[in-house]
């Protein structure tokens, strides 16, 4: 293959520009999360925390033979953690959306 | 459902453990092989004016690079290989699962959980390496002492729930999507099998099936993206603790 000269590239660039016209090149960026995806994200945060609380409580009760004391306590903690996670995630998404509007 | 069954292809038993080579393992190998050849062939020439394939590899690299840079900053760049590998593996597994008769690796909870556990273990190791015991400050919110005592258990449970929420989200999306495809396909077959005027009716679930298939293509890349970006966010917390709030 013959070595490409810079002039060659420049003319290629010019031709690309001409072919592109006024169309802006597509920006690679964050794909817009659909409504379902947001709902799924929040739901899974909530469910996972409750699940972890349940498993931890069950395990502690199994270890100390105190069922259902730890189960109830850890379930409540899991629920609280789930809401904390969901609220944090929602705030993050809110912030991202507001920023996106400012940029455009 | 038959499409989610793990079938041993080459039975191997070692010391009472079943470590057979299954259809699951086969599709993992196919996915990894496809990614490897995609990257190796795509970057073989490294010409200044890229071919289509080289463009694709560069675009996927730039997507992940931008994602890490915007969430974890310069310090996060050394985790690019990890995040890039996870992103490509999840993405290709999701897409390969859409091929008829293929096996969706990410529709098994244990696979997604292994990936999530890898991310969280990295976060814990990096956190302790960067901050020593100071990493535990992650669990101490900025609040009055009484509130801290109340909130600390909640923060700990919330941290522990991360690998589960990461893995359950990906797994449930893949499982639900494929189950939905199966149900609609079964409607079509059932209506055609019933004969008579019902054959004409089978066009309705057929159209829905087409729509769901298009949605699945979107979900496949979306879930890979969400998995990767959440990994970045968790890594960022390990690197910077509360600084970037």
């Amino acid at each position: 293959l013959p070595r490409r000269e810079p002039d060659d590239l420049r003319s290629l660039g010019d031709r690309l520009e001409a072919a592109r016209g006024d169309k802006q090149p597509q920006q690679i960026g964050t794909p817009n999360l659909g409504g379902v995806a947001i709902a799924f994200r929040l739901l899974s945060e909530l469910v996972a925390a409750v699940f972890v609380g349940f498993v931890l409580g069950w395990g502690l009760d199994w270890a100390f033979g105190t069922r259902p004391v730890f189960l109830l306590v850890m379930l409540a903690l899991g629920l609280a953690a789930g809401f904390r996670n969901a609220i944090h995630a929602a705030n993050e998404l809110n912030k991202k959306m507001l920023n996106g509007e400012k940029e455009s | 459902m038959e499409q989610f069954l793990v079938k041993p292809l080459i039975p191997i038993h070692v010391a009472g453990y079943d470590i057979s080579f299954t259809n699951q393992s086969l599709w993992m190998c196919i996915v990894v092989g496809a990614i490897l050849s995609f990257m190796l062939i795509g970057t073989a020439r490294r010409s200044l004016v890229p071919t289509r394939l080289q463009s694709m590899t560069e675009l996927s690299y730039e997507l992940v690079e931008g994602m890490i840079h915007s969430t974890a900053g310069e310090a996060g760049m050394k985790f690019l290989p990890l995040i890039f590998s996870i992103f490509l593996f999840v993405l290709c597994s999701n897409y390969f699962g859409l091929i008829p008769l293929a096996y969706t690796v990410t529709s098994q909870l244990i696979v997604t959980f292994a990936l999530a556990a890898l991310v969280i273990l990295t976060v814990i190791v990096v956190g302790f390496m960067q901050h020593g015991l100071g990493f535990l400050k992650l669990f101490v919110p900025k609040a009055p002492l009484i509130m801290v005592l109340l909130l600390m258990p909640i923060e700990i449970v919330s941290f522990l729930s991360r690998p589960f929420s990461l893995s359950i989200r990906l797994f449930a999306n893949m499982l639900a999507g494929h189950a939905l495809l199966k149900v609609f396909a079964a409607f079509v077959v059932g209506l055609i099998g019933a004969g008579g005027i019902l054959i004409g009716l089978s066009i309705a679930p057929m159209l829905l099936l087409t729509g769901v298939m298009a949605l699945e293509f979107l979900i496949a890349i979306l879930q890979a993206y969400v998995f990767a970006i959440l990994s970045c966010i968790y890594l960022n917390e390990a690197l910077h603790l509360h600084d970037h709030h």
Side-chain angles (χ1 to χ4, degrees):
Chain A
L1 263 166
R3 230 177 124 252
R4 283 190 186 282
E5 297 296 327
D7 277 351
D8 220 13
L9 279 176
R10 203 164 299 135
S11 81
L12 179 75
D14 291 344
R15 271 184 289 142
L16 273 174
E17 205 102 305
R20 206 179 270 146
D22 347 300
K23 271 181 282 171
Q24 288 295 315
Q26 274 207 327
Q27 195 71 41
I28 336 161
T30 35
N32 189 17
L33 288 158
V36 181
I38 292 177
F40 217 100
R41 161 111 202 260
L42 299 183
L43 182 75
S44 62
E45 297 283 3
L46 193 60
V47 170
V50 175
F51 175 73
V52 167
F54 173 78
V55 170
L56 275 181
W58 190 273
L60 285 174
D61 276 337
W62 177 80
F64 300 122
T66 53
R67 192 182 305 166
V69 178
F70 279 110
L71 189 61
L72 293 175
V73 173
M74 294 311 281
L75 260 182
L77 274 182
L79 195 62
F83 274 109
R84 175 217 172 266
N85 282 350
I87 291 167
H88 267 223
N91 280 341
E92 235 163 66
L93 290 170
N94 265 348
K95 219 186 287 170
K96 212 180 280 172
M97 274 173 195
L98 286 176
N99 284 342
E101 269 168 30
K102 262 178 220 157
E103 274 166 32
S104 60
Chain B
M1 278 191 224
E2 192 249 340
Q3 58 178 329
F4 298 121
L5 276 186
V6 177
K7 285 170 244 150
L9 300 178
I10 307 167
I12 308 169
H13 294 268
V14 174
Y17 289 103
D18 185 0
I19 53 164
S20 307
F21 190 84
T22 60
N23 52 350
Q24 166 101 306
S25 338
L26 175 70
W27 277 96
M28 277 189 194
C29 292
I30 292 175
V31 166
V32 172
I35 295 170
L36 270 180
S37 41
F38 169 61
M39 295 310 292
L40 288 178
I41 299 172
T43 55
R45 289 264 312 280
R46 288 196 294 271
S47 47
L48 192 53
V49 181
T51 57
R52 281 202 184 88
L53 196 63
Q54 194 186 334
S55 279
M56 282 166 72
T57 55
E58 283 175 4
L59 275 175
S60 52
Y61 173 84
E62 276 163 19
L63 176 75
V64 178
E65 191 201 23
M67 171 161 60
I68 297 176
H69 211 278
S70 64
T71 51
E74 201 60 52
M77 292 314 283
K78 55 177 176 284
F79 298 102
L80 181 79
L82 175 73
I83 304 289
F84 194 34
S85 311
I86 287 177
F87 175 72
L88 276 185
F89 182 75
V90 173
L91 182 67
C92 288
S93 306
N94 291 352
Y95 271 143
F96 278 42
L98 287 172
I99 301 169
L101 298 178
Y103 189 88
T104 321
V105 179
T106 40
S107 70
Q108 292 291 336
L109 184 55
I110 190 66
V111 175
T112 58
F113 185 73
L115 288 173
L118 178 70
V119 170
I120 297 298
L121 286 177
T122 313
V123 165
I124 293 173
V125 170
V126 168
F128 277 116
M129 270 168 61
Q130 289 268 318
H131 306 283
L133 284 177
F135 180 54
L136 295 176
K137 267 189 268 175
L138 192 68
F139 300 123
V140 184
K142 285 172 198 147
L145 186 67
I146 302 171
M147 288 306 282
V148 167
L149 287 178
L150 250 160
L151 287 174
M152 223 164 68
I154 294 177
E155 292 283 335
I156 292 172
V157 173
S158 127
F159 183 83
L160 288 176
S161 76
R162 278 174 182 177
F164 294 95
S165 69
L166 257 186
S167 52
I168 289 173
R169 180 169 32 239
L170 177 57
F171 145 80
N173 265 294
M174 288 300 116
L175 190 77
H178 285 74
L180 201 62
L181 285 178
K182 173 102 174 180
V183 167
F184 280 123
F187 277 155
V188 177
V189 174
L191 284 171
I192 290 175
I197 193 156
L198 291 176
I199 292 179
L201 275 180
S202 70
I203 192 79
M206 189 70 183
L207 285 175
L208 268 173
L209 191 61
T210 318
V212 173
M213 194 72 185
L215 185 69
E216 278 303 296
F217 269 92
L218 176 71
I219 287 178
I221 185 151
L222 204 60
Q223 287 307 318
Y225 186 82
V226 166
F227 197 99
I229 201 154
L230 283 176
S231 309
C232 293
I233 291 173
Y234 297 157
L235 273 172
N236 176 48
E237 271 186 16
L239 288 168
H240 301 116
L241 289 182
H242 289 302
D243 307 349
H244 278 243
H245 268 234

